[in-house]
Amino acid sequence: MMENLSIHDPPPQPGAQLPGPMSQGLGRGAPPPQPQQLPPQMFTTAAQLLDLTDKKLLVWLRDGRKLTGVLRSWDQFANLVLQSTVERIFATTSDPSETQPKGVYADIPHGIFLVRGENVLLLGEIDLDKDDDPPPGFEKADFNIVEKLAKERKAAEKAKEKTKLKKLATLGFEGENLGEILL
């Protein structure tokens, strides 16, 4: 006999009698003790997305993109279907050593968006009271300006990383995927 439990039901207590004819046993004494079940909060599977369905989420992807949208559907692989999805891009204009970054941001509307579960780095529910507030230290700007600044910043970081890898190579260190390919 299958039980219909939801994610919010507490785990059964040891020694508790289950309803139905099986709880009386076959006249041979008490039924064997049931193994302990973990509470639903312990599961790190796609089933935890049940509580987030139809809520506005921030989804941070492995490639650095940040999406906001309403979670409409998901599957066992944590693939997500987001509705009213907006991608937000940031470009910092302040010195990275400052404690509070300053810069500009732009939103790109995407509509319905399918996200493969393995690409999700982080996700969380958005506080709807603070949803319309701009991020602290950032101002909304035209998409083309923000995209240009973001690309310039990324190119500068890439050049800095390349210089660092060259210096490490002179000291005998190899960066990722920079070794010789042996055939």
Side-chain angles (χ1 to χ4, degrees):
M1 180 172 155
M2 295 271 300
E3 292 183 74
N4 288 326
L5 297 175
S6 78
I7 196 166
H8 300 292
D9 291 338
Q13 299 302 317
Q17 287 291 331
L18 297 173
M22 295 300 285
S23 64
Q24 283 81 27
L26 299 174
R28 294 184 223 157
Q34 296 292 321
Q36 281 280 345
Q37 289 187 359
L38 295 172
Q41 298 82 4
M42 296 297 291
F43 291 106
T44 56
T45 63
Q48 283 192 317
L49 295 171
L50 184 63
D51 293 336
L52 297 174
T53 305
D54 297 329
K55 294 189 177 163
K56 191 165 188 178
L57 303 180
L58 168 68
V59 181
W60 196 333
L61 302 180
R62 286 192 321 180
D63 65 1
R65 289 186 288 171
K66 296 161 193 73
L67 306 172
T68 59
V70 179
L71 179 64
R72 290 298 180 200
S73 185
W74 49 271
D75 64 10
Q76 72 270 23
F77 304 110
N79 296 322
L80 310 174
V81 176
L82 300 173
Q83 183 182 21
S84 305
T85 307
V86 174
E87 179 181 351
R88 182 167 281 180
I89 59 171
F90 293 90
T92 55
T93 55
S94 62
D95 186 7
S97 62
E98 291 184 32
T99 56
Q100 179 70 30
K102 294 184 182 352
V104 292
Y105 74 95
D107 291 337
I108 310 164
H110 287 297
I112 294 181
F113 208 83
L114 175 63
V115 180
R116 188 175 171 106
E118 68 181 15
N119 291 323
V120 175
L121 184 64
L122 178 97
L123 68 89
E125 188 177 353
I126 292 178
D127 184 355
L128 295 177
D129 294 335
K130 298 179 181 178
D131 185 34
D132 294 330
D133 298 342
F138 286 83
E139 296 177 10
K140 191 166 182 124
D142 181 55
F143 168 74
N144 294 327
I145 294 170
V146 176
E147 184 181 40
K148 181 180 175 211
L149 287 171
K151 283 182 179 179
E152 288 172 359
R153 173 72 86 175
K154 196 174 221 178
E157 287 175 7
K158 192 173 184 179
K160 185 177 177 181
E161 182 70 17
K162 192 173 183 180
T163 304
K164 182 173 108 178
L165 288 174
K166 281 183 182 178
K167 188 170 186 176
L168 286 171
T170 61
L171 298 172
F173 293 98
E174 286 185 10
E176 286 185 31
N177 304 322
L178 295 179
E180 293 181 359
I181 299 174
L182 301 175
L183 299 175

